[in-house]
Amino acid sequence: MRAAPATTSPFAALSREQLAVLLPELLLTGQLIDRSGMAHVIGAFGREGMVEVAIEEWQSSSPIYTRRMQQALDFTGDSVETIFKGLQLDIGAPPQFMDFRFRVDDHDHGEFWLDHCGALMDVEPMGEEYVRGMCHDIEDPTFDATALATNDRAQVRPIHRPPRDPAGRHPHCAWTVVIDESHTPPAVPDGLRAIEKSAAAGLELTPISSAGEGHHDYAGPLLSDLRFGDFSHSALVRMAEEVCLQQQLLTLGFLRSLRARTDEASVREIARKQLTGIAGLTAERLRDALELGDDLAALATVLTVHPLVNPHQYVDAEVVHGARLELRLGRQAAADADGAWPTLVDGEHLEALHALVRGVNPHFAVEVLAEDEQALTVGVRVADEPAKEASEVRITRFSTGADFAFADRGIPLPLTVL
């Protein structure tokens, strides 16, 4: 296996201010992966099968990426506060869309509640069975799996949760977190053991430099909100890489869960639909968040920071904007060894790339320029007529996250132990 070229992170080309805008977008993208994929899983395996896949993908990935972020930003420990910090940097809990509020009583006790749960807003119209599936069947094992990354004696238990009774109950849910030596550690899922062996799990990313303005870690007190603009440029680059890797790890868990249920052709069909839906919507949101236009220069920027081709230490991707705009996907990187997102794209399956470029401009399309065992190279062409939006992207727009707008909440407050 040949590693991706040792080049500077594409995120490093963005300003500190741009990265601060980009981080919540990348976290939200991670949450919307399931909005893109689970509709197709329901079609294949029904509601109960969807619940099982969701549990397995998060159980197998979240403990890995939670530990990675703890180590990257130097907030390792075994306390409730450490668990809460991890949630603030988790694609399962993007800021404001999943509006986690926290209270820390002591090292071993705390509470959190959701003043707004975007996932609930998506699921409530589907009926009580789907609400129970998410807020009971999925949350119980996956919250404990996330806590497992910090302390295997931590238990997350509901105070109240949907279905909301009375209707419109606020906050949407509330939970306790208790660490106690008497608690029996949850069993380590087989999926977690498998994904821990992936190249993604142990991947080295850009180290955080102590130079420059802003926070270089999250070693201080737990904050009511993370204001990404308070972090240094170097820290933001690393965080962006880690969040993209979270999405790749979640996808590895998703693929593994699908393979336990169906044949490889069906696995790849479902996964390609998932990737197409999230690729298109993400490109559109990144374009708007970075205040780009809809020309090829804007597309070149979006392509370099899109989660499909990041982090660069994992995916061998090169964007060339010369006489024409080209994307080269190498085939011998760590992502290829793991069978991650880039392996779902080839000369006969360009749907995800079509959706991505059309998220910037519906007149854009891709065409194969060259393909062999070493690489796939595509060029971007401009059509006279705009293309219709892919059905997979329309399905992803079902989520309220598709049009979600982040707000400036001002200076965050430290949450001291009561």
Side-chain angles (χ1 to χ4, degrees):
M1 180 184 71
R2 180 175 64 84
T7 57
T8 302
S9 173
F11 296 109
L14 299 181
S15 69
R16 185 179 170 198
E17 292 73 21
Q18 287 175 313
L19 287 167
V21 170
L22 186 69
L23 255 297
E25 288 291 339
L26 292 176
L27 286 163
L28 180 59
T29 293
Q31 169 67 207
L32 296 181
I33 290 173
D34 271 358
R35 301 290 80 75
S36 178
M38 288 307 170
H40 307 293
V41 174
I42 292 170
F45 310 117
R47 184 187 63 82
E48 292 182 357
M50 177 274 293
V51 167
E52 293 171 356
V53 170
I55 292 170
E56 291 168 9
E57 66 171 351
W58 291 99
Q59 279 186 325
S60 63
S61 59
S62 66
I64 298 171
Y65 65 63
T66 297
R67 294 189 191 107
R68 288 187 56 92
M69 192 68 85
Q70 290 173 349
Q71 293 163 3
L73 291 179
D74 193 25
F75 62 93
T76 55
D78 60 0
S79 67
V80 165
E81 181 180 71
T82 303
I83 293 172
F84 290 168
K85 286 183 176 181
L87 285 171
Q88 291 178 314
L89 290 159
D90 190 319
I91 57 174
Q96 300 182 29
F97 183 71
M98 305 290 286
D99 196 10
F100 280 70
R101 305 288 88 194
F102 302 102
R103 190 186 82 193
V104 179
D105 298 323
D106 55 40
H107 180 280
D108 296 332
H109 300 84
E111 294 182 8
F112 67 83
W113 57 96
L114 270 71
D115 275 351
H116 173 81
C117 178
L120 177 63
M121 298 298 96
D122 292 346
V123 171
E124 265 189 335
M126 299 172 68
E128 186 171 310
E129 278 193 339
Y130 281 90
V131 171
R132 287 190 177 277
M134 181 180 74
C135 301
H136 294 244
D137 301 336
I138 295 173
E139 295 294 19
D140 284 351
T142 55
F143 270 146
D144 277 352
T146 299
L148 176 67
T150 302
N151 194 313
D152 64 3
R153 304 287 174 163
Q155 288 185 351
V156 182
R157 297 294 180 266
I159 299 170
H160 69 82
R161 56 179 164 177
R164 291 191 282 174
D165 186 16
R169 184 174 187 175
H170 192 270
H172 289 168
C173 63
W175 304 73
T176 63
V177 183
V178 176
I179 298 171
D180 193 295
E181 285 299 314
S182 68
H183 291 164
T184 301
V188 178
D190 290 340
L192 175 57
R193 296 185 190 278
I195 304 302
E196 282 178 331
K197 298 175 183 178
S198 67
L203 193 71
E204 292 188 15
L205 298 178
T206 304
I208 297 175
S209 166
S210 59
E213 297 181 356
H215 302 311
H216 307 297
D217 55 41
Y218 193 14
L222 172 70
L223 300 173
S224 56
D225 292 291
L226 284 189
R227 190 167 63 173
F228 291 103
D230 291 337
F231 287 89
S232 70
H233 184 271
S234 179
L236 290 168
V237 168
R238 176 59 179 271
M239 291 158 73
E241 292 177 348
E242 290 286 353
V243 173
C244 288
L245 191 64
Q246 288 186 17
Q247 298 182 37
Q248 300 280 4
L249 282 162
L250 182 68
T251 299
L252 294 181
F254 180 70
L255 290 167
R256 185 182 186 280
S257 185
L258 293 181
R259 288 187 174 112
R261 289 167 171 78
T262 189
D263 60 273
E264 186 63 20
S266 299
V267 167
R268 297 181 75 78
E269 180 183 3
I270 294 170
R272 284 181 173 124
K273 289 178 179 178
Q274 176 219 54
L275 178 56
T276 299
I278 196 62
L281 184 60
T282 299
E284 178 183 317
R285 287 193 61 94
L286 293 181
R287 178 202 64 188
D288 294 344
L290 295 175
E291 298 181 343
L292 304 173
D294 62 356
D295 57 8
L296 289 172
L299 176 58
T301 299
V302 169
L303 275 171
T304 59
V305 298
H306 197 285
L308 168 58
V309 295
N310 276 291
H312 81 281
Q313 299 92 332
Y314 190 59
V315 181
D316 182 0
E318 181 182 9
V319 178
V320 179
H321 190 193
R324 67 182 301 173
L325 181 60
E326 298 179 7
L327 171 67
R328 177 188 178 277
L329 286 177
R331 294 307 195 189
Q332 298 180 23
D336 301 280
D338 282 347
W341 263 343
T343 64
L344 299 173
V345 178
D346 59 43
E348 295 183 355
H349 299 93
L350 297 173
E351 297 87 356
L353 291 184
H354 282 306
L356 191 163
V357 301
R358 288 167 180 163
V360 175
N361 187 320
H363 288 86
F364 292 160
V366 295
E367 56 189 2
V368 175
L369 300 180
E371 183 175 23
D372 56 28
E373 293 181 356
Q374 300 300 312
L376 166 70
T377 302
V378 299
V380 179
R381 58 181 173 83
V382 183
D384 293 333
E385 298 295 328
K388 293 182 179 179
E389 185 171 69
S391 60
E392 294 88 348
V393 179
R394 290 199 302 272
I395 288 171
T396 311
R397 286 192 192 281
F398 166 79
S399 173
T400 56
D403 297 316
F404 188 79
F406 295 99
D408 182 356
R409 292 185 166 181
I411 298 174
L413 300 175
L415 300 178
T416 57
V417 176
L418 297 177

